[in-house]
Amino acid sequence: MNSETKFLLPEDRIPRAWYNIISDLPEPPAPVLHPGTGQPIGPDDLAPLFPMALIGQEVSAEREIEIPEPVRDVYRLWRPAPLYRARRLEQVLDTPAHIYYKYEGVSPSGSHKPNTAVAQAFYNKEEGTKRLVTETGAGQWGSSLAFAGNLFGLDIDVYMVRISFDQKPYRRAAMETYGARCVASPSEETESGRAILAEKPDSTGSLGIAISEAVEIAAQNDDAKYALGSVLNHVLLHQTVIGLEAMEQMEMAGEDPDIVIGCAGGGSNFAGLAFPFLGQQLRGGRTRRAIAVEPMSCPTMTKGTYAYDFGDTAHLTPLVKMHTLGSGFVPPGFHAGGLRYHGMSPLVSALVDSGLVEAQAFLQTECFAAGVQFARAEGIIPAPESTHAVKAAINEAERCKEEGTKRTILFNLSGHGHFDMQAYTDYFAGKLTDQPHDESAMREALEKLPEVAAE
Amino acid sequence: MNSETKFLLPEDRIPRAWYNIISDLPEPPAPVLHPGTGQPIGPDDLAPLFPMALIGQEVSAEREIEIPEPVRDVYRLWRPAPLYRARRLEQVLDTPAHIYYKYEGVSPSGSHKPNTAVAQAFYNKEEGTKRLVTETGAGQWGSSLAFAGNLFGLDIDVYMVRISFDQKPYRRAAMETYGARCVASPSEETESGRAILAEKPDSTGSLGIAISEAVEIAAQNDDAKYALGSVLNHVLLHQTVIGLEAMEQMEMAGEDPDIVIGCAGGGSNFAGLAFPFLGQQLRGGRTRRAIAVEPMSCPTMTKGTYAYDFGDTAHLTPLVKMHTLGSGFVPPGFHAGGLRYHGMSPLVSALVDSGLVEAQAFLQTECFAAGVQFARAEGIIPAPESTHAVKAAINEAERCKEEGTKRTILFNLSGHGHFDMQAYTDYFAGKLTDQPHDESAMREALEKLPEVAAE
């Protein structure tokens, strides 16, 4: 075992291929269905939205998909990302556990999102896209796509959930620094947006609405395509650079994780870290616990249904089989952080359903408490989303102490919280609560799941 | 020459000693004078404010001062910091210059400040200090001392310039995350503060006032000491880890900088990068240009006087010989970023006076324009302070293009701008201006320099 605090890889150890977990799954993923016919869709159905290279990756069964050199070249700006041993946190917790974290906050936009943003921008540029349209919540994804699009000479339009647009202008400023256009959603620019505004002029927006707006623009404009920051297979694929690097770094540290943890909104940062490890296991390697952590106020995996549902509010997207709270679900107003999506990546959902991935949910105040404890021990202030992974890791480390057992815990610190200090301010001021949960709203949204013929 | 984008050192290459430029100066620095007697002060005069170890470092003539292991151990959380070749910026500028930057934004608080905060917290803890008191402007320094103090179990009180306290709550939230107490300055907690408030109840504060408050508290409380984030010799000493690492990394890159650049408010990040290179030169090595860059709205080196002056507004500090705009100087209201101090480090001032260091001043709008150009090329959004170094580096690279000469330029990217996006928002909205400069206010402050007997 190594005495270092952080484990760094040289640039030539940036992975040369992404890892595709579909290749190792015992059965193929449930098909994606056409919203009109209920029948499985083909590449042509997706062509208005995505470049063919990404559609190919979405359905590929190859284990390794080569990372193009221009993408690796941009990755060099921050990758390989460091892996840390949380020695000071271990001391504070007085635990026999060894805690490691992969730190993705070193990227230009401060989170893991550029791993896929750069790849998506590259393939779009290759296939002649002029403009990429997307949605964003608090802005982690929007600022990352703005960064990536700028490097490849694409125009970037971001539909940003209005409440974040108004209350969290800092990531918007980052998007504009990178040259992107940022529009509050719902907007007057789309049919979907106008329909929402007609019904509710003071709508504060949701991710589902912003997705509808972005998809609509992409579908109607030949030179525009759509980009999604999580959920889809190709997005999770691109994030596997996290886990591939972490495997090599854990070897440098002379350890092998017993537990792998990531927070999960759409599932991409969790999958990015966990899939390479789960792939080993699926190919006959050792069994590890993989924990996907979500907020109790958007409990997709722990309280949702595993069923076909739409990805957006206006029902413009195909139907995917996933854990969902219903496409009309909006997290309660007291929920401060990200991880607000009504659904979950189909791949992560299938693994949760099969028992290979464990889902846990925590209250936001206990996550912030864990984030503060982490910051005071390790120095880095976690993004509110990442505090969910921190909370789960601390829980497991405390369990090790109770049981007197040494386990090796690895979690993904998916981003720093420097853009999110208002949430910490609110937490310290006692303004963050965990109530009231509106169980009836959740049930109502769940009752509206589409009926699907093909199942 | 190396084809890498970034140059990383392993943890065991964190420097084992700081570099003390005083050892290589042709003559000793001008003495620090007692504000009452005008005579040189001794260690006892400083003992109420600083632990003896730091007072010793302040006057040491040793070339190398060992970095204590507990300090190096905290440095491991982010050091060695990466050195980057700005290949994409070079392409955009179409310059034959090679541009490198040392990136200090990877520290927990996002700037170079923890390099000295950790050392100061360590020595204070060693000598029994319970509470460290300091001032901060926008909060780079305050959040760094909060981070460091927490790790060594010290209480941290930060007097924060009121206008930043009110308008920039995000670094305040970071201080509180690390467990520090943050007070708007001028405050009712000190005589200095009450005197200012009696005269001007709506005072928005200044660094000089906040220093007076912090010094007063430290002087009056046996268990409290004072910490300063720049200016003093020992602070610059601690920052030399930047340049020592950079020298080794430039060797990895197979290049040697012709020009070394840093922004300068009190002078510590500039000195941290430049002093190890200047030391080589002072010992007979090759001549390089070293450029310290300041804002035109606080033009200490380019328009100030090199004379004895107080470090604070209430004249509680000793007198030091430095470039100064007068201790009553407050930067004009339109100035958005940091680098607001009325004085300059005595060591940097002496080197500017002797011609070994070149001073340049730029308008804030041209600095933000350079910052945006850099962000779009390299991904990292610079702190407003750091954009001054970016601007100077781009200028030199453009000069290389005009002259058709290849030069190697190295600058210090002292911090990221994720806490400062409001300033970028204001810049894009056209709210940042470079006018009006109040020349008469500057002259007035300069006329009030103290008369000093010992000169």
Side-chain angles (χ1 to χ4, degrees), chain A residues 18 54 57 75 115-116 119 234-241:
Chain A
W18 293 297
L54 292 177
Q57 291 178 3
Y75 281 173
N115 295 331
T116 183
H234 68 268
V235 179
L236 276 58
L237 173 79
H238 301 153
Q239 293 293 354
T240 58
V241 289

Side-chain angles (χ1 to χ4, degrees), chain A residues 240-397:
Chain A
T240 58
V241 289
I242 302 172
L244 292 167
E245 289 177 6
M247 287 182 114
E248 202 166 329
Q249 290 164 311
M250 289 302 298
E251 269 181 43
M252 287 169 74
E255 299 214 63
D256 190 25
D258 302 298
I259 309 173
V260 177
I261 299 170
C263 66
S268 77
N269 99 69
F270 164 75
L273 179 66
F275 278 9
F277 289 98
L278 285 169
Q280 275 191 337
Q281 180 171 335
L282 287 164
R283 295 192 298 277
R286 69 174 283 225
T287 301
R288 298 183 182 89
R289 285 174 63 203
I291 306 175
V293 191
E294 64 187 8
M296 273 207 191
S297 48
C298 189
T300 317
M301 295 174 289
T302 52
K303 297 224 177 148
T305 301
Y306 183 46
Y308 272 97
D309 197 6
F310 291 98
D312 71 324
T313 308
H315 298 180
L316 302 178
T317 69
L319 291 160
V320 292
K321 193 170 180 189
M322 61 181 176
H323 283 86
T324 177
L325 294 162
S327 62
F329 178 81
V330 176
F334 67 80
H335 178 65
L339 313 178
R340 309 174 70 91
Y341 190 56
H342 70 274
M344 177 53 59
S345 138
L347 284 174
V348 172
S349 294
L351 290 163
V352 168
D353 188 60
S354 71
L356 271 171
V357 167
E358 209 173 302
Q360 295 184 356
F362 293 103
L363 297 168
Q364 66 176 349
T365 53
E366 56 187 356
C367 292
F368 273 98
V372 170
Q373 187 173 33
F374 180 84
R376 291 187 182 173
E378 294 291 313
I380 300 168
I381 302 175
E385 296 78 13
S386 313
T387 62
H388 292 73
V390 174
K391 172 62 186 164
I394 289 177
N395 262 20
E396 294 300 330

Side-chain angles (χ1 to χ4, degrees), chain A residues 67 95 142 221 341 354 402 449:
Chain A
I67 306 178
T95 176
N221 292 276
Y341 190 56
S354 71
E402 285 161 26
L449 289 184

Side-chain angles (χ1 to χ4, degrees), chain A residues 4-6 11 73-74 76-77 79 84 88 108 150 170 173 176-178 376 379 416 418-419 425 428, chain B residues 4-6 11 73-74 76-77 79 84 88 108 150 170 173 176-179 376 379 416 418 425 428:
Chain A
E4 305 285 292
T5 294
K6 56 190 179 313
E11 269 176 39
D73 199 47
V74 178
R76 285 170 206 270
L77 290 174
R79 304 210 71 85
Y84 280 86
R88 288 167 196 277
N150 165 67
Y170 301 102
E176 288 168 359
T177 301
Y178 293 130
R376 291 187 182 173
H416 69 59
H418 292 178
F419 285 112
T425 302
F428 287 121
Chain B
E4 305 286 291
T5 294
K6 55 190 180 312
E11 268 175 39
D73 199 47
V74 178
R76 285 170 207 269
L77 290 173
R79 303 211 72 83
Y84 281 86
R88 288 168 196 276
N150 165 67
Y170 300 104
E176 289 169 358
T177 301
Y178 293 131
R376 291 186 182 173
H416 68 60
H418 293 177
T425 302
F428 287 120

Side-chain angles (χ1 to χ4, degrees), chain A residues 10 22 62 86 96 141 144 150 152 165-166 186 211 213 240 249 256 258 268 315 331 350 357 363 386 389 406 424 439:
Chain A
I22 293 174
E62 293 293 311
W141 166 243
S144 301
N150 165 67
F152 288 102
F165 185 93
D166 290 338
I211 293 175
E213 293 208 271
T240 58
Q249 290 164 311
D256 190 25
D258 302 298
S268 77
H315 298 180
V357 167
L363 297 168
S386 313
K406 185 248 161 187
Y424 279 89
E439 295 281 341

